[in-house]
Amino acid sequence: MKICPQDKCFGCGACAAVCPQKCISLRGDALAVLHPCIDPDSCIDCGLCHKVCPAINPQELHPSLAGYAAKDAHSHIQSASGGIAALLARSHAHSFGTLWNKDFEAVVAEGEEAAFRGSKYVQSIISTE
């Protein structure tokens, strides 16, 4: 069972997060890129995974959406992208980042997370538990 063609899958995990049966897991391929794997015995064919998939349901950006940029002079030397995650975490906004650990976990920052700094070039594991 497939949700979308493997070469179009982002590995975002939206399908696994929305599944009411929790029968979709993300598994790495030969290059460790995550793709959904559906347990056909548990699937109830509700179609929610297909409805939420950004690869097969691309959304146009609303023209009035604003983008923001920031540079933190204190931490940008040790950070990627100008230290934006550290700046957001310090401003008490919700900040998500990937920790460099065995699971490459995506977590919410608690204060300024030095572990978020630096480029990792790996796919974050988004837990739905």
Side-chain angles (χ1 to χ4, degrees), residues 93-110:
H94 289 290
S95 181
F96 294 84
T98 301
L99 295 178
W100 187 260
N101 62 17
K102 68 179 179 65
D103 296 321
F104 300 114
E105 296 172 290
V107 297
V108 178
E110 300 284 336

Side-chain angles (χ1 to χ4, degrees), residues 3-4 9-10 12 14-15 48-58:
I3 297 168
C4 70
C9 180
F10 303 122
C12 68
C15 54
L48 289 175
C49 56
H50 294 280
K51 289 179 185 175
V52 75
C53 178
I56 57 177
N57 298 297

Side-chain angles (χ1 to χ4, degrees), residues 2-84:
K2 291 196 179 222
I3 297 168
C4 70
Q6 187 165 331
D7 64 331
K8 303 289 185 206
C9 180
F10 303 122
C12 68
C15 54
V18 76
C19 180
Q21 295 298 107
K22 301 296 181 206
C23 66
I24 302 174
S25 59
L26 296 176
R27 296 194 184 144
D29 63 14
L31 298 174
V33 176
L34 298 176
H35 297 285
C37 182
I38 303 171
D39 175 5
D41 295 330
S42 301
C43 180
I44 59 172
D45 257 344
C46 67
L48 289 175
C49 56
H50 294 280
K51 289 179 185 175
V52 75
C53 178
I56 57 177
N57 298 297
Q59 301 291 313
E60 287 188 35
L61 293 179
H62 193 279
S64 67
L65 289 178
Y68 299 94
K71 183 174 180 179
D72 179 3
H74 170 71
S75 64
H76 88 277
I77 294 170
Q78 300 171 342
S79 303
S81 303
I84 188 73

